[in-house]
């Protein structure tokens, strides 16, 4: 029997593998006008702390390594009618903060990647290489984290 359906590639982003569905989407139509809401959190890399006793489930407690994987930001999407969380993977938190974005500023994202996971009934995760204020030159990414 022939297989029917779409074939998507898996990509490694922030040390995890995701199903990249970006190629099936028209990104400007999906998100429309994007406006800044704020920084949600900084995602760090964690490792096992083998100097501590194991947890009840047999795993070790986790400690941060200090490596920053992404800066999670809140962006309002006009076409999605809500605020979406994007992980900025090509800029440090200080670079995002230095843009001086204010609530409601229109922004542009470059290198958008939309991923899907069938966990918990379906989860979409949104990534972008860089963010900039609309009309200003895009910053040069210092650390690219997306790997094919």
């Amino acid at each position: 029997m022939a297989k029917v359906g779409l074939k998507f590639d898996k990509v490694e982003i922030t040390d995890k593998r995701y199903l990249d569905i970006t190629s099936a989407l028209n990104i400007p139509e999906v998100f429309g006008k994007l406006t800044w809401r704020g920084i949600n959190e900084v995602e760090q890399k964690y490792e096992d702390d083998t100097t501590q006793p194991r947890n009840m489930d047999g795993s070790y407690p986790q400690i941060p390594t200090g490596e920053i994987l992404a800066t999670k930001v809140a962006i309002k999407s006009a076409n999605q009618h809500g605020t979406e969380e994007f992980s900025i993977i090509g800029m440090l938190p200080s670079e995002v903060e230095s843009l001086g974005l204010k609530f409601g500023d229109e922004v542009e994202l470059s290198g958008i990647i939309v991923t899907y996971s069938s966990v918990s009934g379906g989860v979409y995760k949104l990534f972008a290489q860089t963010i900039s204020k609309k009309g200003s030159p895009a910053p040069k990414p210092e650390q690219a984290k997306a790997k094919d």
Side-chain angles (χ1 to χ4, degrees):
M1 279 236 126
K3 284 188 174 182
V4 178
L6 299 172
K7 181 178 179 330
F8 297 110
D9 294 324
K10 287 202 172 201
V11 294
E12 186 175 323
I13 305 172
T14 64
D15 292 342
K16 296 179 187 155
R17 293 189 56 77
Y18 296 97
L19 189 63
D20 181 359
I21 64 167
T22 311
S23 61
L25 303 172
N26 182 335
I27 297 297
E29 283 185 20
V30 170
F31 295 110
K33 179 181 172 183
L34 300 171
T35 53
W36 177 254
R37 292 299 181 252
I39 294 177
N40 286 351
E41 66 178 303
V42 175
E43 183 180 352
Q44 295 187 48
K45 185 173 186 171
Y46 288 85
E47 64 183 21
D48 291 342
D49 183 359
T50 56
T51 64
Q52 300 295 318
R54 290 181 182 260
N55 296 327
M56 295 294 285
D57 65 359
S59 66
Y60 283 105
Q62 298 286 294
I63 57 169
T65 64
E67 181 181 350
I68 295 171
L69 298 174
T71 305
K72 294 185 176 186
V73 299
I75 308 260
K76 170 97 167 63
S77 165
N79 292 1
Q80 293 299 312
H81 307 293
T83 300
E84 304 294 334
E85 183 174 75
F86 281 84
S87 294
I88 307 299
I89 57 177
M91 295 174 71
L92 295 170
S94 58
E95 294 172 313
V96 175
E97 291 170 358
S98 71
L99 296 173
L101 296 169
K102 303 219 179 341
F103 186 89
D105 283 350
E106 191 170 352
V107 294
E108 293 179 315
L109 299 172
S110 67
I112 293 175
I113 301 169
V114 180
T115 65
Y116 176 78
S117 174
S118 58
V119 176
S120 301
V123 176
Y124 293 93
K125 289 200 174 195
L126 308 171
F127 299 92
Q129 280 294 323
T130 62
I131 184 170
S132 62
K133 191 170 184 176
K134 182 131 180 146
S136 66
K140 293 186 167 92
E142 287 189 18
Q143 59 177 20
K145 295 282 182 187
K147 301 172 198 158
D148 288 36

